[in-house]
Each structure stands twice: as C-alpha cells, then as structure tokens.
Amino acid sequence: MKGLFKVTTRTIVAAGIGAALFALLFMYVKVPSPVPETSFQTAYGLSAFFGALFGPIAAALMSFIGHALSDAVQYGSPWWSWVIASGVSGFIYGFAFKRSKVEEGVFTWKDILTFNVIQIIGNIIAWIIVAPVLDILIYAEPVNLVF
C-alpha cells in the first residue's frame, strides 16, 4: 500500500486531464441500453483505466470533478449524491494500480481478472450503497424509491 495514496504532479495532471475527458465522455459518448431513458456511460471505463495507471487519488478526483462539471454544464447544478458516488467508484478502481503491472507494460490474465473484480466491487459499493444512501441523506428521497 506504500505509495498508493501519494499525490505527485503526475497525479494532479492525470486528474485534471482525466476530469476534462470524463466530462466530455459523460456528456457525449454513451451507449444506449435496452432500458428506456438509460445508457451505459463510457466515462467510467476511462476512470477505471486512469485508476489502474495513476492510482486511487487521480481516479477519484477525475471522476468527482468530471461528473460535477458535466452535471453543472448539462443541468445547471450537480446531483451531489451521484457525483460523490462517482468519486468513490474511481477511488476504488484505483486499487488496481498496485495490484497489476500495467505501468510496466504487462497486463496478464490474472491482472485482467483482478482489475475486473476491483471494478465490480467499486460499482457495487458506489451505486448500490453510496448513491442511494446519499440520495436519502442529502435530498430526503424516500427509501422505497432509491432501494
């Protein structure tokens, strides 16, 4: 875990560039789903990729800032419970940083499996726990609506 939470110039630059790319992908590059009014967001794939390359701090910042920017531009104000959940998901994706050898140019089947397990855990925590709980706490949404 040593070095996992180290903030360097590289981390800040990655977070800044990542946030801009995240916001653009979040607004304009979506894959339609069979569920009405729903789409798959490609921005989270970028967040996971940046998490594996730059660690949890960069991925959390890029997801949080990118989602907040996108919401602010599109809707006038961010939906904070989901913005925070995006940051949490990015943070968890970043745990793939030390568990793989992506930085060395090696990505084995074991690394792919580890990377995807970490992504699944991040999505479960962010979207099944954090986002609904924050919807209830921040926006006083009814429990039966969010769960």
Side-chain angles (χ1 to χ4, degrees), residues 102-114:
V102 173
E103 215 173 11
E104 300 164 16
V106 178
F107 200 57
T108 64
W109 282 105
K110 181 183 174 199
D111 294 331
I112 292 169
L113 181 64
T114 303

Side-chain angles (χ1 to χ4, degrees), residues 2-107:
K2 186 178 180 184
L4 192 61
F5 303 111
K6 188 176 180 184
V7 178
T8 63
T9 304
R10 181 176 181 239
T11 306
I12 301 302
V13 170
I17 292 170
L21 291 171
F22 186 98
L24 290 172
L25 287 174
F26 203 78
M27 289 189 287
Y28 301 115
V29 185
K30 302 171 189 175
V31 178
S33 82
V35 178
E37 301 295 322
T38 306
S39 60
F40 296 105
Q41 293 287 351
T42 58
Y44 291 104
L46 181 72
S47 177
F49 178 69
F50 269 53
L53 286 178
F54 302 108
I57 303 297
L61 287 172
M62 79 171 275
S63 298
F64 180 86
I65 295 167
H67 192 149
L69 281 172
S70 171
D71 278 6
V73 168
Q74 286 184 305
Y75 308 113
S77 69
W79 189 261
W80 289 110
S81 57
W82 285 43
V83 170
I84 292 167
S86 286
V88 168
S89 69
F91 183 77
I92 295 169
Y93 299 158
F95 284 103
F97 177 63
K98 288 291 183 185
R99 302 220 185 277
S100 66
K101 297 182 181 94
V102 173
E103 215 173 11
E104 300 164 16
V106 178
F107 200 57

